[in-house]
Amino acid sequence: NAGVTQTPKFRILKIGQSMTLQCTQDMNHNYMYWYRQDPGMGLKLIYYSVGAGITDKGEVPNGYNVSRSTTEDFPLRLELAAPSQTSVYFCASRVPGQGDNSPLHFGNGTRLTVT
Amino acid sequence: GQSLEQPSEVTAVEGAIVQINCTYQTSGFYGLSWYQQHDGGAPTFLSYNGLDGLEETGRFSSFLSRSDSYGYLLLQELQMKDSASYFCAGVMDTGRRALTFGSGTRLQVQP
């Protein structure tokens, strides 16, 4: 199993450009998440999904959009990129469970710079 | 608010024991998880406490006290490879089903 795969690994965007960060998992996990991590900080939840066709906002959703058409894929869309979106983006997945007793499996991250 | 607080940095020597504390504030809480992240890497799961008490996994142990809204990660027989950031995390909003992470504790192990 490849686990959680994110592409691209690195990207530099100009202000106002848009892009899609790809995330796919082959573990048949229902729950998928997008987090961003600024330097020296913890992870902040952007969006999450509990199954195909269902998405919901996290703590910092502004400037982002998501879709979940299949169990495997959970792309994150940035429209009109801004310097404040410079960060490392992590996609994660897990099996459903009471509370959080099933561990998150993270992708290797996408390092995005907006200049 | 709903948050998890942990110290920003801890330094220890090889072979020693270190404890990383985590306090949380929330009205609804399922349990406390711990994740390790090496520089430039992705977070990886270390442990989970759903009930009060101590959970042991090799050199690492984790503790939770719901009455005190407090937990800790204990690392024994420290090795240089344990130098990393450690995050406590919990489901702070029972309607969200997503983990909220603390800001992380950077552990530096010195020879």
Side-chain angles (χ1 to χ4, degrees), chain A residues 23-96:
Chain A
C23 175
T24 188
Q25 51 91 9
D26 61 0
M27 298 173 283
N28 203 32
H29 287 172
N30 284 345
Y31 288 10
M32 294 189 74
Y33 306 84
W34 275 106
Y35 288 91
R36 61 174 285 174
Q37 185 177 33
D38 297 333
M41 303 296 287
L43 293 94
K44 297 248 183 253
L45 181 67
I46 306 172
Y47 270 95
Y48 70 102
S49 168
V50 299
I54 306 168
T55 62
D56 210 343
K57 294 178 181 179
E59 303 166 73
V60 290
N62 291 344
Y64 307 94
N65 276 301
V66 293
S67 59
R68 185 92 182 271
S69 56
T70 66
T71 299
E72 294 77 22
D73 300 307
F74 190 39
L76 178 72
R77 178 87 178 156
L78 278 73
E79 304 281 4
L80 297 175
S84 60
Q85 293 178 306
T86 293
S87 191
V88 180
Y89 291 83
F90 287 103
C91 178
S93 72
R94 68 180 179 95
V95 296

Side-chain angles (χ1 to χ4, degrees), chain B residues 59-85:
Chain B
R59 294 187 296 115
F60 294 1
S61 304
S62 57
F63 173 83
L64 176 64
S65 169
R66 289 174 182 273
S67 58
D68 296 322
S69 297
Y70 162 76
Y72 65 73
L73 179 69
L74 191 73
L75 297 85
Q76 303 181 72
E77 300 172 20
L78 281 173
Q79 301 174 9
M80 297 298 290
K81 67 178 181 180
D82 297 329
S83 292
S85 293

